[in-house]
Amino acid sequence: MIKYRKSFIVGLKGISITKNEISFLKKYKPWGVILFSRNIKSIEQSQKLIAKIKSIFKDINYPILIDQEGGRVSRLEKIINTKTFSANYFALIYKKNKKKISHYLNIYINQISYLLREVGVNINTVPVLDIRRKNTNKIIGDRSFSQNPKIVKKLGSLFIEKFHKNKIASVIKHIPGHGLALTDSHLKTPIVKKSLKYLLKNDFSTFKKQKSLFAMTAHIIYESIDPINTATHSKKIISIIRNKIRFKNVIISDDVSMKGLKFSIEKNTIKAFSAGCNLVLHCNGRMSEMIKVAKNSPKLDSFLMKKTSEFYKLIS
């Protein structure tokens, strides 16, 4: 049952689930599982892996996440080549012909959604709503739609709408905005120095009024708001996400094993929940770390229970 699950998401090590991983899922009952390229070899293998995960929870709608952005971040690359279809690719089409973009997106998103449903995935962690700059770190690059906030917002909302129509939930990222970061938060903590006024008008604006059920945080320090904590660990930033950006759905931390967070796995997990994240994400599949995340994650509260029900309704 949903209410017995705990508020975290984990990755797995390989293309099939191990006995240790089965025991872990049964014991700690994570809210969801996220898959990466290391878990995907073929359609049949992926179907088998995901069916096994869902059978553990006796739930055909159990949350299975994937980063199938297209372009450089394509976890289904062994099944389908989507390298051409970066976010920026669609922005370039939009600039040339605004009337055609909906048609192009329908073709692309309908096909990707069909493949995701075919293997059993029900959450795609798109769209990236970060505003690209000339000096934006390459970890974002063409994963961003554009340097223009209006284009980012428009295409982001179209992605969400079209994935939802295909019964695939979306995750907007990296809230409240990664585009000003000059460093890769996988490796180092980026520090953004712009004022709150500037950020609200620019980087934070692309996330406003988006209808995604989920949002993923940025491991970034916004110095003018909270000079100590990254967004993932900042009550002040989470408050801005809730009250200024007005995102009222589920906030997921980015991967708590990334080096952009400076503490132990336990502390990274605890601080994310204390700041106001609803779910904590851990990706690398290392069992010793997964256990630490699990032990420091609470059971689902009434808010997360309600939003999980909304998610089930969306994908059914």
Side-chain angles (χ1 to χ4, degrees):
M1 289 176 70
I2 296 170
K3 68 179 179 179
Y4 296 117
R5 292 181 199 162
K6 299 187 81 175
S7 304
F8 71 101
I9 299 163
V10 288
L12 303 173
K13 267 294 183 190
I15 58 172
S16 59
I17 191 165
T18 66
K19 286 182 180 177
N20 277 352
E21 288 169 338
I22 292 169
S23 298
F24 173 88
L25 295 182
K26 285 181 176 178
K27 181 175 181 179
Y28 292 108
K29 298 177 176 59
W31 182 87
V33 168
I34 187 166
L35 300 180
F36 291 87
S37 299
R38 66 177 184 262
N39 307 118
I40 309 290
K41 182 181 177 184
S42 67
I43 291 176
E44 187 180 18
Q45 167 270 326
S46 303
Q47 287 172 327
K48 204 175 286 185
L49 172 62
I50 292 169
K52 180 61 182 176
I53 295 166
K54 291 180 177 180
S55 73
I56 291 166
F57 294 94
K58 299 180 175 63
D59 182 0
I60 58 168
N61 291 321
Y62 182 77
I64 304 289
L65 300 84
I66 202 166
D67 301 318
Q68 183 54 37
E69 295 176 13
R72 289 177 292 127
V73 181
S74 299
R75 310 305 189 197
L76 299 175
E77 61 193 350
K78 294 188 185 79
I79 297 173
I80 186 172
N81 185 346
T82 58
K83 295 286 187 190
T84 301
F85 304 108
S86 66
N88 187 236
Y89 170 85
F90 291 107
L92 293 173
I93 292 171
Y94 179 73
K95 282 181 183 177
K96 285 180 186 174
N97 192 327
K98 290 179 173 59
K99 290 179 182 176
K100 275 192 174 179
I101 191 63
S102 186
H103 176 64
Y104 274 80
L105 286 179
N106 278 340
I107 293 168
Y108 174 71
I109 291 174
N110 289 354
Q111 295 307 311
I112 293 300
S113 299
Y114 174 81
L115 184 53
L116 293 174
R117 291 195 311 270
E118 188 70 11
V119 297
V121 172
N122 44 36
I123 304 175
N124 192 11
T125 70
V126 296
V128 173
L129 298 181
D130 305 320
I131 302 168
R132 191 169 67 256
R133 308 305 205 287
K134 285 181 181 176
N135 59 349
T136 296
N137 187 270
K138 63 182 180 181
I139 194 66
I140 299 298
D142 62 0
R143 295 169 67 197
S144 164
F145 289 108
S146 176
Q147 296 181 19
N148 184 326
K150 289 180 181 176
I151 293 175
V152 173
K153 189 163 189 173
K154 172 68 176 175
L155 293 182
S157 64
L158 282 172
F159 261 67
I160 294 162
E161 175 193 322
K162 292 178 188 300
F163 272 111
H164 282 190
K165 279 183 179 176
N166 279 282
K167 301 185 184 301
I168 301 290
S170 59
V171 183
I172 53 176
K173 59 190 186 186
H174 305 84
I175 202 166
H178 207 297
L180 286 165
L182 304 182
T183 54
D184 179 357
S185 57
H186 290 84
L187 307 173
K188 190 178 177 183
T189 310
I191 298 173
V192 168
K193 297 179 183 289
K194 294 285 188 183
S195 68
L196 174 58
K197 184 179 178 182
Y198 175 91
L199 291 166
L200 286 169
K201 189 177 178 181
N202 294 279
D203 293 72
F204 294 7
S205 70
T206 58
F207 294 90
K208 206 166 186 180
K209 294 182 180 176
Q210 297 289 5
K211 294 179 180 176
S212 180
L213 267 178
F214 305 98
M216 186 180 291
T217 60
H219 293 334
I220 293 174
I221 290 174
Y222 301 88
E223 202 171 53
S224 65
I225 305 165
D226 187 337
I228 298 168
N229 297 296
T230 64
T232 306
H233 287 163
S234 174
K235 289 180 182 178
K236 291 177 182 176
I237 299 290
I238 300 294
S239 176
I240 287 168
I241 290 169
R242 293 301 193 196
N243 301 311
K244 299 284 188 184
I245 297 173
R246 297 183 182 278
F247 182 76
K248 302 299 184 184
N249 291 323
V250 178
I251 298 176
I252 307 172
S253 79
D254 205 344
D255 181 5
V256 292
S257 68
M258 285 163 60
K259 291 183 172 64
L261 300 182
K262 294 299 184 187
F263 305 100
S264 65
I265 292 293
E266 295 100 323
K267 197 165 182 183
N268 283 342
T269 301
I270 292 164
K271 281 175 71 68
F273 285 121
S274 296
C277 291
N278 307 113
L279 289 166
V280 158
L281 175 67
H282 181 272
C283 294
N284 65 33
R286 290 181 193 141
M287 185 58 68
S288 60
E289 293 184 8
M290 288 160 61
I291 290 169
K292 290 171 184 174
V293 171
K295 286 183 174 178
N296 288 285
S297 296
K299 284 186 179 177
L300 273 57
D301 59 16
S302 57
F303 171 81
L304 199 45
M305 292 269 292
K306 180 188 172 197
K307 293 299 175 182
T308 303
S309 296
E310 288 177 26
F311 158 69
Y312 277 39
K313 189 176 178 182
L314 172 71
I315 66 167
S316 298

